[in-house]
Amino acid sequence: MMIELELMRKKIDEIDDKLLALFKERLEVSKKIGLLKKKHNIKIFDPQREQEIIDNCTQNVSEETYLLKNNGLKTKVASFREDFIKSLLE
């Protein structure tokens, strides 16, 4: 049992490493998009695009889980977006 548990934990750690690498890559691309928009005087925040991303991320989640977590997700996305935009404008 302990060996199996350790193997599963190791797998979780590997997945976490991959997720972190993808998230860092996503942030870099997002930053480039923000700088490009800033350069061309395009509004940085696009509520329609943000909703598309949320919808894409939650399309395979059960309705019950989505309803329970959606408000929290929107709050986190909004908070992250505000911090990200502030960092681009500095």
Side-chain angles (χ1 to χ4, degrees), residues 13-61:
D13 291 344
E14 291 169 2
I15 293 168
D16 288 346
D17 290 344
K18 291 175 185 176
L19 287 170
L20 182 58
L22 287 171
F23 189 68
K24 286 179 179 178
E25 182 180 353
R26 188 185 192 291
L27 284 175
E28 286 300 317
V29 173
S30 295
K31 184 175 182 180
K32 289 177 183 177
I33 289 170
L35 293 172
L36 186 63
K37 285 181 168 185
K38 183 178 176 182
K39 178 180 177 183
H40 294 282
N41 294 318
I42 299 170
K43 199 165 97 177
I44 293 175
F45 175 55
D46 181 349
Q48 182 178 349
R49 176 65 179 144
E50 184 174 290
Q51 189 59 51
E52 285 174 17
I53 292 168
I54 291 171
D55 291 345
N56 287 337
C57 289
T58 57
Q59 71 183 358
N60 293 323
V61 176

Side-chain angles (χ1 to χ4, degrees), residues 1 7 9 34-36 43-44 52 56 63 77 80 89:
M1 155 123 173
L7 288 172
R9 286 180 173 165
L35 293 172
L36 186 63
K43 199 165 97 177
I44 293 175
E52 285 174 17
N56 287 337
E63 184 177 348
V77 168
F80 179 77
L89 297 177

